Amino acid sequence: MKRFIVVIVLLATVVSQAASIKHYSKLRYPPLGDIDIPDVQRLTLPNGMQLYLLEDHELPLVRFSTLIRTGSIHEPADKIGLASITGQVMRTGGTTDRAGDTLDALLESMAASVEVSIGLNSGSASASALTENADTILEVLAEILMKPAFPEDKLMLAKMQLRSSIARRNDAPGGIADREFDKLIYGPDSVFARHPEFATLANISRSDLAAFHRRFFVPNNVMLAVWGDFRTPAMVEKIKTVFADWPRSDEAVPPAPAVAYDFPKTVNLINRNDVNQSNIVMGHIGGLRSDPDYCPLIIANRILGSSFTGRLFNNVRSRQGLAYSVYGVYTANYNYPGVFYVGCQTKSESTVKAIEAMRQEVATMTREKVSAEELALAKDSFLNSFVFNVDTVGKVISRMMTYEYYGYPADFLQTLKQGIEKVTAADVLRVAQKHFQPDQFQILVVGRSTDFDRPLSVLGNVKEIDITIPPPPQPQKK
Amino acid sequence: MITQTHRRVFSCLFILLGCCATRTVAQDLAAFEERFTQFTLDNGMTFLVLERHAAPVVTLLTFADVGSVDEQRGRTGLAHLFEHMAFKGTQTVGTRDYRAEKKAMARADAIFEAMRTERLKLQPDPKRLDEWAEEFKTVQAEAQALLVHDEFQQVFKQAGGANQNAGTSVDYTLYFVSLPSNKIELWMNLESDRFLNPVLREFYREKDVVMEERRLRVESDPVGRLLEEFLGTAYLAHPYGTEIVGHMSDIENLSRPEAEAFFRTYYGPANLTVAIVGDVQPKNVQRLAKRYFGRLKGGPKPPPVRTVEPPQRGERSVTLQDPAQPFVLLGYHKPDVHHPDSAVLDAVTDIMGLGRTSRLYDRLVKKDRVAAYASAFQGYPGDKYPGLFMFYAVPAQGQKHEASMAAMEAEIERLKKEPVSEAELTKAKTRARASLIRSLASNSGLAQELAYYQVITGDWRNLFTRLERIDAVTINDIQRVANAYFTIQNRTVGLMETSNAL
């Protein structure tokens, strides 16, 4: 009897231990806590500047972020680099009131920063400081936006730095692949793919910078967001004061140009002897976020290209060991079509094998419905991680400004969420068939062709792209 | 559920740090500690929990006190390879039939060992190797058919996980993920399983992936090539001289049993520290931690790194002739992070290398125009053991390395001969404080900092008290330290010279 009891007790212990460690699929979770998305204070100043303010007193920090309607898409073709340099020298060159080096010393002694940059489609000026320095950096930010001095020496410095990056642009194979592939898709002269050359930099003068600034940096082209440790009424007053003397301009900013793409099939090689790994990029034009197919495309992207869980990762990396980094994404931009990129880096000896393996994955997406499990994983991963879209004040404000900048509805994210909930496997197949054209890929390989498993010509007529950097014009300007 | 409200939520979790000059580090730390809980399980595993309820999210990070520095000669790359393997699942996650898998994997291991023995002979027999290679392929295919790819990551993604990843440094290995805060039990369940019953499936295939990673980061990248040569030149004896990813031939020769032995030695619970930052209740965390991680069995302490790098006797140098543009590296041996001079070197990093007003940027970029960029940093490749203080420059277009090198040398000499200004030192102290404040804004940043300071420096509070040490640095300290460490015989130079085109 005693032994029987002992056995019962032992069994009970074993059973209870086993019962307390469930298989993960049996776990049940409490409901997720509410997220209170705070209201962003919105107002438009008389001069047209749009303000977004959100207090957050967790830490003694204040951050400013501006979005300016400008971009390198507006620079003339013989002065590529103008927008980027204008942004840089706005920051480094100081203002009509204070020299650039003076501002450097002031900001860095306060552990604060103000930075300006102009990209393809927009400009940004951001600032960050401890609470006690918020007023000071707002003044600096305003001064830089309104009255940059564009001194010659800082223009020379910016040109030196940009010339250095031109000289280095062929050093690393990844950079070469990305740059050259965009030119294949958009065209080498397209505003979306072109890049500065020594000659275009040489054409840029300080009057060009001043003119570029005058044209775009007007208050009605500016959205200014502030978040952090401040009090809204005082901050609004301060902003009104520092930007009071900034006149507006109603010169319209042209929209981004349209992109024509006729799905050429090309095979391109950039031969390098200093690598033992090929950098492969292939694909074609992508789309816009406003496309009605955007939600199913988000799901298709997840199934095809997610790291760790997507088909490309599972098959090309985990199963076949062909690459460390493999990706596939149909990018959709706000105001101009993105690119459908599929690519990886693989040893020279598996180049063609990897190309075929990746293309096969895309082709399968266009032929067969995805499985119920894959669909559920893609939808669940989007919906269950939704909280990470809105978990910081910075994200909330930045998204709001971006949507407004590009003319998207304020509730666009919520619309996406509702759309994702409805996506079916049939939808995914339909959009894959419509938008993925694996037989119409352009293919680019940067690699050591003598070591390839098979010659690239098995894929089609090979064009060798010459990436020699055109030399600086003579005489070389400083 | 996400609700839109008109009520603003103020999370005054932290009493405002640094807003008045009179606040002390002690006051800041006290405020922080109100939200902080620490506990250690019976098996030695430590948990650090910081509450931050601004949003219903949490970052969970496992910090293993093992890095590539712990590897044996001939088996480099093991720490990083294991990190990859830690995503392959367990006896119940990632498999259709573990028992069958186990048999197939054991057969694969046996064939691999036989192949390796043959391959490493002075005169290997190619016929035998080919036969084994065929058999190996078959067995691997059998094993692959039994597994479920990437189930571990899938489960987290499906549950709403974000930014799941891991990383290996010379000193430590990290595994992290962010989750909606109602799902921490999922993390407890899977993370504990992964360190209780890891199965190193697809091991030999994953070696292929790691070899591609090595080609990507080191062999096919000019700066990657230079850094590998530089590290090997700077270090005579200590494992810091080897790249984290390991040597290619070592990776090729690693076997699964060796990786399993590595895991048993270095991944015992006493060698693991977990940092959890976000919307959690410490009592709940503790309850779950005990239930899930309490299962891990303690074991003997892992062996320490024995080799001590001897003092450098004379200048070392390596120059690569490469198609790429020039690059200049200077490294000086310095003590580890525990040494009192560490705080002084933090100040030196700021003065010499941080921002547009740093001495290097000011001289090489703004004034002399010989470099497009120049900076300095310490603790390369790591700082648990004596590492290097680094200076580097990216020469300007049309310039070779000589002008940048001369300018950097001049600035280093100036630091040794002339005291720095009060303004520069104050700036360094202000920036150290502001940098700490900024780092408190992110769950994932905080989790990593807390774990790092706890494990590497012995106490997470050093994240704050480090500021006191920096505040105590004097102008004399800087001059003393510069003269002690920045000497020619303690210097390693790494140069990239542009050779003719590709």
Side-chain angles (χ1 to χ4, degrees):
Chain A
M1 188 58 178
K2 212 172 178 181
R3 185 185 296 182
F4 187 64
I5 291 172
V6 165
V7 167
I8 296 285
V9 166
L10 278 176
L11 274 175
T13 318
V14 166
V15 164
S16 73
Q17 273 181 348
S20 70
I21 303 293
K22 296 181 187 148
H23 187 262
Y24 69 78
S25 57
K26 303 270 191 307
L27 295 175
R28 294 289 167 266
Y29 308 108
L32 187 63
D34 287 350
I35 307 175
D36 296 316
I37 302 181
D39 268 356
V40 176
Q41 293 293 301
R42 300 276 317 274
L43 57 139
T44 305
L45 299 184
N47 61 14
M49 190 187 294
Q50 290 174 270
L51 299 188
Y52 306 76
L53 301 113
L54 188 46
E55 294 182 28
D56 175 7
H57 301 281
E58 185 190 7
L59 293 168
L61 292 173
V62 179
R63 270 160 292 190
F64 298 86
S65 173
T66 62
L67 204 48
I68 303 119
R69 197 166 296 282
T70 178
S72 65
I73 59 175
H74 303 294
E75 61 194 17
D78 63 334
K79 295 183 185 180
I80 305 173
L82 171 59
S84 168
I85 289 183
T86 301
Q88 285 191 59
V89 186
M90 277 177 70
R91 168 57 184 86
T92 59
T95 68
T96 50
D97 296 344
R98 292 185 271 193
D101 291 349
T102 306
L103 289 177
D104 289 348
L106 173 66
L107 291 170
E108 293 192 1
S109 68
M110 297 189 302
S113 70
V114 174
E115 297 298 337
V116 182
S117 71
I118 301 177
L120 192 66
N121 233 335
S122 63
S124 109
S126 60
S128 164
L130 298 172
T131 303
E132 68 254 38
N133 302 126
D135 280 355
T136 308
I137 69 160
L138 175 55
E139 284 159 17
V140 172
L141 177 65
E143 219 175 284
I144 279 176
L145 284 170
M146 295 191 296
K147 350 183 220 185
F150 298 124
E152 191 68 31
D153 72 321
K154 295 298 185 185
L155 170 57
M156 292 300 128
L157 173 58
K159 283 193 179 186
M160 178 272 276
Q161 290 178 313
L162 198 36
R163 279 203 307 273
S164 303
S165 70
I166 291 173
R168 289 169 184 276
R169 74 181 186 211
N170 288 340
D171 286 357
I176 298 173
D178 293 343
R179 179 186 77 233
E180 295 299 321
F181 193 74
D182 279 356
K183 281 151 74 174
L184 289 173
I185 299 293
Y186 293 113
D189 300 321
S190 163
V191 297
F192 301 118
R194 62 190 185 178
H195 46 78
E197 299 288 0
F198 295 126
T200 66
L201 294 190
N203 291 338
I204 296 169
S205 67
R206 69 171 293 284
S207 59
D208 292 319
L209 271 62
F212 195 89
H213 170 262
R214 259 194 316 274
R215 183 179 167 200
F216 296 104
F217 283 78
V218 293
N220 49 303
N221 276 350
V222 175
M223 305 162 106
L224 169 62
V226 194
W227 68 100
D229 183 34
F230 59 90
R231 297 290 161 190
T232 305
M235 179 60 74
V236 171
E237 278 319 299
K238 180 84 192 179
I239 291 172
K240 281 180 173 166
T241 308
V242 295
F243 288 108
D245 294 332
W246 207 9
R248 62 181 295 149
S249 153
D250 291 307
E251 181 189 339
V253 175
V259 171
Y261 189 81
D262 56 3
F263 287 89
K265 262 184 83 155
T266 68
V267 180
N268 307 272
L269 170 70
I270 294 167
N271 194 61
R272 295 279 291 208
N273 286 325
D274 64 332
V275 296
N276 58 10
Q277 186 181 63
S278 292
N279 220 294
I280 302 165
V281 189
M282 53 196 200
H284 51 63
I285 199 75
L288 292 168
R289 294 191 190 214
S290 52
D291 192 313
D293 290 339
Y294 186 45
C295 287
L297 280 167
I298 289 175
I299 296 300
N301 271 340
R302 286 186 177 231
I303 292 172
L304 176 67
S306 274
S307 60
F308 291 122
T309 56
R311 289 184 178 185
L312 283 167
F313 188 100
N314 280 336
N315 292 324
V316 178
R317 171 170 155 159
S318 298
R319 203 180 287 276
Q320 298 189 65
L322 290 173
Y324 166 73
S325 158
V326 57
Y327 56 90
V329 57
Y330 182 95
T331 65
N333 295 334
Y334 288 103
N335 66 339
Y336 73 99
V339 180
F340 181 40
Y341 296 103
V342 180
C344 74
Q345 301 86 28
T346 190
K347 63 190 183 299
S348 314
E349 296 80 4
S350 47
T351 300
V352 175
K353 182 173 181 188
I355 290 172
E356 287 174 338
M358 291 189 288
R359 201 207 302 259
Q360 183 58 39
E361 287 310 320
V362 179
T364 307
M365 297 282 297
T366 69
R367 283 202 295 266
E368 303 161 15
K369 271 201 212 170
V370 299
S371 70
E373 291 81 20
E374 283 172 307
L375 182 70
L377 171 61
K379 289 171 70 167
D380 288 347
S381 67
F382 181 98
L383 296 167
N384 289 333
S385 68
F386 193 81
V387 61
F388 290 104
N389 288 313
V390 294
D391 61 330
T392 72
V393 168
K395 284 181 192 173
V396 170
I397 266 198
S398 157
R399 178 174 297 107
M400 185 176 285
M401 285 213 298
T402 301
Y403 287 163
E404 194 141 331
Y405 183 86
Y406 290 109
Y408 279 63
D411 65 350
F412 186 62
L413 182 62
Q414 291 296 339
T415 311
L416 285 185
K417 184 164 178 270
Q418 286 153 16
I420 296 284
E421 279 161 358
K422 300 199 191 91
V423 172
T424 66
D427 290 327
V428 174
L429 180 61
R430 176 180 55 79
V431 305
Q433 285 172 338
K434 181 170 170 202
H435 297 279
F436 298 174
Q437 313 293 338
D439 294 327
Q440 307 300 124
F441 274 172
Q442 301 204 56
I443 300 173
L444 170 65
V445 181
V446 181
R448 195 185 157 102
S449 56
T450 47
D451 291 349
F452 290 177
D453 43 345
R454 286 148 74 199
L456 272 191
S457 51
V458 305
L459 301 168
N461 281 337
V462 179
K463 174 169 183 234
E464 268 209 58
I465 297 181
D466 180 3
I467 56 169
T468 312
I469 301 170
Q474 298 297 337
Q476 185 170 347
K477 293 205 182 137
K478 274 202 294 288
Chain B
M1 195 174 76
I2 299 162
T3 59
Q4 194 91 21
T5 70
H6 295 287
R7 179 177 56 87
R8 282 188 224 134
V9 176
F10 297 144
S11 313
C12 297
L13 293 181
F14 298 91
I15 297 175
L16 305 182
L17 288 157
C19 66
C20 333
T22 52
R23 276 194 76 81
T24 61
V25 169
Q27 285 171 305
D28 294 343
L29 184 48
F32 197 88
E33 275 181 305
E34 285 172 21
R35 297 289 158 184
F36 188 88
T37 309
Q38 177 174 351
F39 60 88
T40 302
L41 302 180
D42 291 342
N43 58 18
M45 188 166 175
T46 301
F47 286 76
L48 312 171
V49 183
L50 179 67
E51 293 178 69
R52 204 168 164 242
H53 297 285
V57 293
V58 59
T59 296
L60 307 116
L61 181 147
T62 303
F63 190 105
D65 190 8
V66 58
S68 64
V69 75
D70 295 291
E71 292 160 358
Q72 302 295 314
R73 206 182 176 85
R75 297 184 186 196
T76 61
L78 202 40
H80 169 247
L81 180 53
F82 180 78
E83 178 233 299
H84 275 240
M85 299 315 299
F87 284 89
K88 295 292 184 177
T90 68
Q91 290 179 20
T92 47
V93 176
T95 184
R96 295 182 215 286
D97 179 348
Y98 177 58
R99 281 174 60 193
E101 237 197 323
K102 200 170 165 193
K103 293 199 185 106
M105 290 196 302
R107 275 170 37 231
D109 290 343
I111 298 170
F112 178 79
E113 277 230 37
M115 285 201 298
R116 182 177 63 184
T117 306
E118 188 65 38
R119 198 160 29 82
L120 292 173
K121 285 183 181 164
L122 285 177
Q123 310 224 324
D125 179 345
K127 199 158 152 285
R128 296 187 82 192
L129 283 175
D130 281 342
E131 284 165 9
W132 270 320
E134 273 308 305
E135 227 195 299
F136 193 58
K137 241 172 109 177
T138 311
V139 168
Q140 273 190 298
E142 281 174 30
Q144 257 198 354
L146 294 164
L147 62 81
V148 178
H149 270 112
D150 303 310
E151 183 179 349
F152 188 83
Q153 300 90 311
Q154 274 179 36
V155 174
F156 278 104
K157 279 238 170 102
Q158 195 142 16
N163 301 322
Q164 179 170 39
N165 217 326
T168 310
S169 88
V170 284
D171 292 334
Y172 54 82
T173 312
L174 300 171
Y175 303 85
F176 49 89
V177 66
S178 296
L179 281 171
S181 54
N182 62 334
K183 297 205 171 147
I184 63 166
E185 186 168 3
L186 177 66
W187 180 87
M188 293 281 176
N189 183 300
L190 287 175
E191 191 81 349
S192 62
D193 197 18
R194 135 205 256 191
F195 295 120
L196 185 62
N197 300 311
V199 175
L200 280 53
R201 49 180 58 95
E202 260 180 338
F203 179 82
Y204 301 99
R205 182 65 73 222
E206 195 66 17
K207 284 199 329 181
D208 288 337
V209 174
V210 167
M211 289 193 258
E212 291 297 350
E213 190 177 352
R214 194 193 137 85
R215 289 184 192 104
L216 177 67
R217 294 194 200 283
V218 179
E219 298 180 355
S220 297
D221 181 84
V223 176
R225 295 194 279 265
L226 179 63
L227 285 172
E228 184 170 51
E229 294 288 331
F230 178 84
L231 277 173
T233 305
Y235 280 92
L236 208 54
H238 190 268
Y240 269 2
T242 300
E243 274 288 3
I244 296 163
V245 73
H247 296 295
M248 194 59 112
S249 56
D250 282 356
I251 299 169
E252 280 168 354
N253 285 310
L254 289 172
S255 73
R256 187 201 333 266
E258 284 161 358
E260 284 167 346
F262 186 85
F263 166 74
R264 281 192 299 275
T265 306
Y266 291 103
Y267 278 83
N271 226 33
L272 301 177
T273 300
V274 168
I276 297 176
V277 179
D279 177 37
V280 292
Q281 297 303 327
K283 284 204 168 54
N284 188 37
V285 171
Q286 191 158 3
R287 179 181 63 83
L288 290 168
K290 267 192 187 145
R291 181 197 301 172
Y292 285 100
F293 286 96
R295 302 180 289 163
L296 272 60
K297 298 252 180 315
K301 273 184 72 105
V305 173
R306 293 198 237 179
T307 308
V308 175
E309 179 72 11
Q312 188 170 325
R313 298 184 186 96
E315 186 184 22
R316 297 170 183 161
S317 177
V318 63
T319 302
L320 262 62
Q321 303 290 333
D322 200 285
Q325 290 293 291
F327 204 88
V328 188
L329 288 171
L330 287 179
Y332 297 86
H333 286 279
K334 60 163 223 40
D336 61 46
V337 72
H338 310 95
H339 194 280
D341 286 347
S342 212
V344 185
L345 289 168
D346 281 340
V348 172
T349 305
D350 185 295
I351 292 169
M352 291 296 273
L354 189 60
R356 293 185 178 93
T357 62
S358 70
R359 289 194 172 188
L360 289 177
Y361 192 91
D362 189 58
R363 168 129 182 200
L364 275 79
V365 181
K366 278 185 179 176
K367 293 202 171 74
D368 295 0
R369 306 282 166 102
V370 295
Y373 193 74
S375 188
F377 59 98
Q378 67 156 329
Y380 181 69
D383 52 21
K384 198 162 143 191
Y385 301 99
L388 299 166
F389 193 99
M390 301 290 297
F391 298 92
Y392 71 95
V394 180
Q397 182 255 334
Q399 294 276 342
K400 296 194 179 159
H401 65 265
E402 281 86 350
S404 289
M405 182 74 173
M408 286 204 290
E409 285 178 309
E411 281 303 323
I412 293 169
E413 284 313 299
R414 191 178 141 216
L415 190 70
K416 289 158 74 174
K417 289 202 169 55
E418 300 166 18
V420 302
S421 67
E422 281 293 350
E424 282 171 303
L425 186 51
T426 304
K427 177 180 51 157
K429 295 174 182 182
T430 306
R431 292 205 278 201
R433 180 177 210 83
S435 168
L436 171 60
I437 292 171
R438 289 185 167 110
S439 74
L440 301 177
S442 145
N443 284 350
S444 49
L446 266 173
Q448 188 165 341
E449 300 266 301
L450 288 170
Y452 170 88
Y453 277 95
Q454 177 68 21
V455 179
I456 302 292
T457 75
D459 190 346
W460 65 268
R461 291 166 190 80
N462 286 327
L463 172 60
F464 291 86
T465 60
R466 179 178 162 264
L467 287 185
E468 283 174 339
R469 286 189 280 284
I470 295 180
D471 276 346
V473 171
T474 67
I475 288 171
N476 284 347
D477 286 329
I478 291 183
Q479 204 166 4
R480 172 184 57 79
V481 145
N483 280 285
Y485 303 117
F486 301 155
T487 64
I488 296 283
Q489 62 267 27
N490 190 32
R491 175 172 99 168
T492 303
V493 180
L495 298 175
M496 185 105 77
E497 280 184 2
T498 309
S499 75
N500 258 330
L502 326 133

